Amino acid sequence: MPRLPRSPFTAPGEQGRGVWRALAEVAGGVLLISLGQVVVSSADEQLPLSQYALSVPVLGLFAVRRRYPVVSLLGIAALAGAQPAAGLPAAVTAYTATRQLTAPRHRTALLLASTLLVLLTSTALAAFAGSEGQTSGPAVGAVLAATALLVPGLVGTSVGQQDRLMPALRERAAAAEEARRLAESESRMQERSRIAAEMHDLVGHRLSLISLHAGGLEMALRDESAEMRDEAALVRRATGDAMQELREVLGVLGPLGRDTGTGALTDTTGTRSDIEALAEESRSGGIPVELTWEGADLDDRPAQVRRAVHRVVRESLTNVHRHAAGAHVTINVTHTGDRVEVLVRNGRAPLQGAAQQGSGRGLVGLRERVSLLGGELESGPTPAGGFAVTAHIPAQPDPHAGTAGSGDARPEPAEPGAERAPSGVQRRVVGALTGLLGLTGVSVMILFGLFLVSEANRTPQAAEEVEPRIGMHREELGPSLWDDTGVRAAATGHEPARPESATECIYPMVPSEDFLPLSEGAGMGPMEYAPFDAQEGPGQLRITRYCFHGDELTAIDRFNVPVVSQTPSWESP
């Protein structure tokens, strides 16, 4: 199958072409640039609309940022210095690039390079705007570098490290849970082995002594009393049976890899030759056994399955020896593709008095062993007066049933957090809301930074003129009143008497929209102008005098002074 070329719209390792997602992201990029234009224009109304032409390369780089994160971020950073409205696409690209990069030095170098490009581009572009642009250009570049590159880059670095760390933590947690489970299982097996060893040493030793003494008693009574000799022989056989049962119990308690009983697990345990050996052993004991085997042998089946088949046949034959000595026994083993069925059935015992009452624990143990493998065991009397044991055992049991021989079945622990893992739709919704919240925060930071830059470069306006009022302090009037020598000269000899409490009077020039040339006799040059009041008519100079007592305004006097006008030299007479 030919290998498809990599799509420029997908990240390394992603499947598919990603064309529709790229189109959706371009549409989102247009929305982000429009939103950025609104943000920038709200702080600086002088932003030229011609910068919208830079949106095309910005959108192209924004669409391929997953495949080429380094090139996309550097290109958008250079364009953002010339078009501050591209700050929001630059923020998304910085987040994506730093999230994908794994080497810390690569992320650091990329952020530094993109920051330098923003500063250089904004400074170079602002150099054409005059002195004010030379001051605000580096400041705008610094704002974009901090809000649209560094902050999203640091967030992307944190999220990328979290994405790479969480799977490792989950694997470590699963490994630790598995190690704990194995340690607990090993501890239980060791404790069972210790109990089995103690029972073998204590109870087995006592039973051996009883069997030894019973054998000696049987030998001693061989020629004296036949009845007592038979009783001694019965005690010896019962002791031997008890030791056999003890060994079987200890085999269940012991480790899975070895069996402390007589039937130790070997490569042939549970196979056809092993079952035939059990049948032949019973025949030598005086019990007629008929064996029927259907299907393939069990030599390729798991050890748990072969052990269970061996135990079912051996326990059933042992029960026949104890409870129905001399009865005819049929053993049917059927091996299909997925199951192994074992049927052991005996007829009515010819000697009813030889039957012994059992505890039934052997069949209970068999039922537990088969159920741990996922099978079933049925036992009970037959209509003909005999007894039948039927076992249905899976040919390939559950892989976690490896501890069936130990009698311990524990469910596997679920993966940490698997029950609470959110679905894909929930993750996408949460991711979209988080991204929207992040873009809102970046927009607010860009707006606030550009607003500070605009306020710092704004020309301070002249202080508003204050209307003088009597009783005001000189500092309250500020620079709105200043003494004009020409007005003072015109008022000399024509002004009313000053107040007796006045320590100083000033004669400011009264602002007016109309000006009339004054004569040289008025104290002003032939080309100088003074204001006049239109209501007073030409040739009248309106003067306002402000008198102070110390620094307190005590009087405001307004009066008219006659002046002689002349025609300016550039007008015809």
Side-chain angles (χ1 to χ4, degrees):
M1 181 178 180
R3 183 178 180 182
L4 297 177
R6 294 188 303 177
S7 173
F9 307 115
T10 57
E14 288 186 349
Q15 300 295 331
R17 307 293 297 176
V19 177
W20 293 107
R21 184 179 63 182
L23 293 177
E25 290 179 349
V26 168
V30 174
L31 181 61
L32 292 179
I33 293 178
S34 303
L35 180 61
Q37 183 67 46
V38 173
V39 171
V40 173
S41 299
S42 62
D44 186 7
E45 296 294 341
Q46 302 300 324
L47 190 67
L49 297 179
S50 60
Q51 291 188 353
Y52 274 116
L54 297 176
S55 300
V56 176
V58 170
L59 293 176
L61 293 173
F62 184 73
V64 299
R65 72 186 190 280
R66 299 178 184 274
R67 173 61 63 181
Y68 310 105
V70 176
V71 176
S72 299
L73 181 57
L74 294 178
I76 293 180
L79 295 174
Q83 185 189 19
L88 293 181
V92 177
T93 306
Y95 173 83
T96 303
T98 54
R99 184 177 179 179
Q100 290 184 4
L101 296 179
T102 58
R105 58 182 180 180
H106 293 169
R107 291 194 299 264
T108 303
L110 179 60
L111 289 179
L112 291 179
S114 59
T115 300
L116 184 61
L117 282 176
V118 168
L119 293 175
L120 291 178
T121 306
S122 59
T123 303
L125 185 65
F128 298 98
S131 59
E132 181 180 357
Q134 292 178 1
T135 304
S136 62
V140 172
V143 169
L144 291 176
T147 58
L149 296 177
L150 294 181
V151 173
L154 294 177
V155 174
T157 299
S158 176
V159 174
Q161 291 178 347
Q162 182 180 0
D163 293 341
R164 291 182 289 272
L165 183 61
M166 290 305 296
L169 291 179
R170 292 192 184 97
E171 291 179 1
R172 292 185 60 182
E177 181 67 20
E178 180 67 15
R180 184 190 63 82
R181 188 184 67 83
L182 293 177
E184 291 181 356
S185 178
E186 183 66 21
S187 299
R188 289 192 296 270
M189 294 299 298
Q190 292 178 359
E191 184 65 19
R192 291 177 179 180
S193 299
R194 187 185 64 83
I195 295 174
E198 291 184 359
M199 291 180 63
H200 182 273
D201 294 340
L202 297 177
V203 182
H205 179 66
R206 298 298 181 183
L207 290 177
S208 299
L209 291 178
I210 295 175
S211 178
L212 180 61
H213 289 293
L217 182 60
E218 181 182 2
M219 294 296 296
L221 298 176
R222 181 177 56 184
D223 299 330
E224 296 183 6
S225 174
E227 183 178 357
M228 296 296 295
R229 185 187 62 225
D230 294 339
E231 292 294 335
L234 180 61
V235 172
R236 180 177 57 80
R237 288 193 299 269
T239 305
D241 293 340
M243 292 183 65
Q244 176 70 17
E245 292 179 355
L246 177 62
R247 292 190 182 97
E248 293 179 359
V249 173
L250 296 181
V252 174
L253 290 177
L256 179 62
R258 60 182 179 88
D259 194 342
T260 56
T262 57
L265 180 63
T266 63
D267 294 337
T268 62
T269 299
T271 61
R272 184 168 186 173
S273 60
D274 179 55
I275 302 302
E276 289 178 349
L278 292 177
E280 184 61 30
E281 182 180 355
S282 295
R283 294 190 191 100
S284 63
I287 298 179
V289 178
E290 180 182 353
L291 174 62
T292 303
W293 188 287
E294 298 180 7
D297 204 346
L298 300 178
D299 50 0
D300 60 342
R301 291 303 178 182
Q304 304 99 306
V305 176
R306 293 187 287 110
R307 178 192 291 270
V309 172
H310 174 88
R311 289 293 178 86
V312 169
V313 175
R314 191 178 71 175
E315 180 66 24
S316 300
L317 292 177
T318 301
N319 290 337
V320 172
H321 281 274
R322 294 175 183 173
H323 311 306
H328 183 268
V329 180
T330 58
I331 301 176
N332 296 325
V333 179
T334 304
H335 179 201
T336 60
D338 56 350
R339 299 188 69 83
V340 178
E341 296 185 1
V342 180
L343 172 61
V344 181
R345 178 167 48 192
N346 63 274
R348 186 186 300 272
L351 301 177
Q352 297 293 335
Q356 301 178 13
Q357 184 66 28
S359 62
R361 293 181 180 179
L363 292 177
V364 173
L366 286 180
R367 185 172 290 106
E368 292 179 356
R369 179 182 293 274
V370 173
S371 63
L372 289 176
L373 294 175
E376 298 178 355
L377 186 136
E378 302 173 358
S379 61
T382 62
F387 199 85
V389 177
T390 305
H392 306 276
I393 305 172
Q396 192 67 37
D398 190 348
H400 301 296
T403 57
S406 64
D408 180 27
R410 291 171 59 97
E412 288 294 324
E415 182 179 353
E419 298 180 356
R420 302 181 181 179
S423 62
V425 177
Q426 292 177 343
R427 288 195 299 267
R428 292 187 180 92
V429 171
V430 172
L433 293 179
T434 304
L436 182 60
L437 182 61
L439 289 176
T440 303
V442 171
S443 302
V444 172
M445 289 190 296
I446 294 177
L447 176 62
F448 183 70
L450 296 180
F451 174 76
L452 292 180
V453 173
S454 177
E455 288 296 321
N457 293 296
R458 180 175 298 178
T459 303
Q461 298 180 353
E464 296 182 359
E465 296 182 356
V466 180
E467 182 180 359
R469 294 188 303 275
I470 296 177
M472 295 181 66
H473 195 272
R474 186 186 296 269
E475 295 181 354
E476 298 181 24
L477 298 174
S480 60
L481 294 180
W482 52 278
D483 191 47
D484 187 88
T485 57
V487 178
R488 178 184 290 273
T492 302
H494 301 282
E495 61 180 326
R498 294 184 177 184
E500 297 180 356
S501 61
T503 59
E504 180 187 5
C505 293
I506 62 175
Y507 302 84
M509 181 178 291
V510 179
S512 176
E513 297 179 357
D514 299 316
F515 295 89
L516 184 68
L518 297 179
S519 64
E520 297 180 2
M524 305 183 67
M527 299 302 297
E528 295 178 346
Y529 294 87
F532 75 99
D533 194 338
Q535 295 180 356
E536 298 295 336
Q540 299 290 327
L541 176 63
R542 184 71 175 269
I543 298 177
T544 302
R545 182 182 66 186
Y546 298 91
C547 296
F548 292 86
H549 177 73
D551 291 332
E552 182 181 357
L553 181 62
T554 58
I556 303 176
D557 300 316
R558 295 180 176 85
F559 53 92
N560 297 329
V561 176
V563 297
V564 179
S565 63
Q566 65 180 12
T567 304
S569 60
W570 60 80
E571 294 183 2
S572 60

